[in-house]
Amino acid sequence: MLRGQDRRQAMMLLGGGLLAAGCGGVPSARSEEAAAASLHELAAAKGLRFGTAMAARQLDDPNYVEIVKRECGAIVAENEHKIYTILAEEDEWNFGPADALARFAEEEVLAMRGHTLIWSHPRWLPDWLNNTAFDAQGAEAWIDSYVARVAGRYSPQVYSWDVINEAVDDKTGELRETTFTRAMGFDALTHSFHAAKEAAPGATLAYNDYMSWEEGNEGHRTGVLRLLERLKKDGAPIDALGIQSHSNYNMPNEFTAERQRAWRGFVDEVVGMGLDIYLTEFDVNDTRLGPDEAMRDRLIADYTKDYLDMMLSYPQTKDLLAWGMVDKDSWLQTFLPREDDVEKRPTVYDSDYQAKPMREAIVAALRAAPVRS
Ligand code: XIL
């Protein structure tokens, strides 16, 4: 408890020097004002949560820890809650890394989100599980016992779970086939939501996916809408859609008015179903932008402001979670790599732990966001 109070005081004290250190020059009055509050405080003032993904190994990085403590109100495990970490081998349960993050969250009074109970994509399920042939009863029993053990272990700490991740094929819009859907069909998904509700009755439950505003996402968006409608119709206890918010293939300057209109249409349909929105994995890819850092930072910040202005204008949007806070640790350094060997700049802080213009864009979007309950 004391550590949490210390953390809040530290946030107030450190906030003022943040951008002064980050920009290397005399900070403008605007940036000083923007730096005075943490992203978490600005978000909380609007009834939102701001947080980040964190890996257990980052607990050993004092600079990363400092940023998380200063800026965030929530963390989500980058890989530690996934089946490929918890149960990489059959019957060899590995809760150590997730427990370490959970302990850190508790000590620092950070909320903890859960990602993800079932990553419904064979590429991200361990081979032993992909190779297990279940009948319907067996699949149901496996889901029940796994979800009870994992969601139960972190209940009531984890306030929200991604119950299912990426179940829709992004090309066809159809349900991806897994060892569970082969046995149970769509019921594998509905059943997972019921199992999560039973194991973690206080947590909100989300379906999470990477459909986006980008070109070529129309089929993916339609598939996700169909999936959400079916979950609702079948009575699954679903509260929210997790919109990962990676922009991977189109660059930040390609968020055109036309694409924004189409994207808004999708989000309108989701909230029309009575679902909340969580922005679960925000970052911005710069694979195909030129190497100039200032130019990339500017385009990324402009896009961040536009995207968040739209998404936070929905009172149903409750969480804004970044997929990492420091460039050098971003998964995008290896996913869709650049052709030159220049480091990508997809997150809020650069690799020297200095705030970038993306931070100011998030500050501005949070300040502009309407208050939600
Ligand atoms: C990524 C992690 O960042 C990587 O470290 C890991 O190798 C693969 O998974 N969508 C998701 C996240 O739902 O779980 C992914 O995280 C990024 C894309």
Side-chain angles (χ1 to χ4, degrees), residues 31 35 40 191 218 238 248-249 262 284 295 312 332 334 359:
S31 65
H40 160 61
H191 190 77
E218 299 77 10
I238 178 171
N248 283 331
Y249 297 95
V284 186
M295 176 273 291
L312 301 184
L332 286 171
T334 49
R359 184 182 187 279

Side-chain angles (χ1 to χ4, degrees), residues 16 27 36 39 64-65 91 109 150 157 175-176 179 183 187 197 219 231 235 241 246 296 305 350:
L39 297 177
Y64 196 87
V65 166
D91 293 330
V109 200
V150 177
Q157 183 182 17
L175 200 63
R176 279 187 219 278
T179 184
D187 286 351
K197 189 80 202 161
L231 284 172
L241 173 66
H246 302 292
R296 282 189 284 152
K305 177 75 166 62
D350 71 15

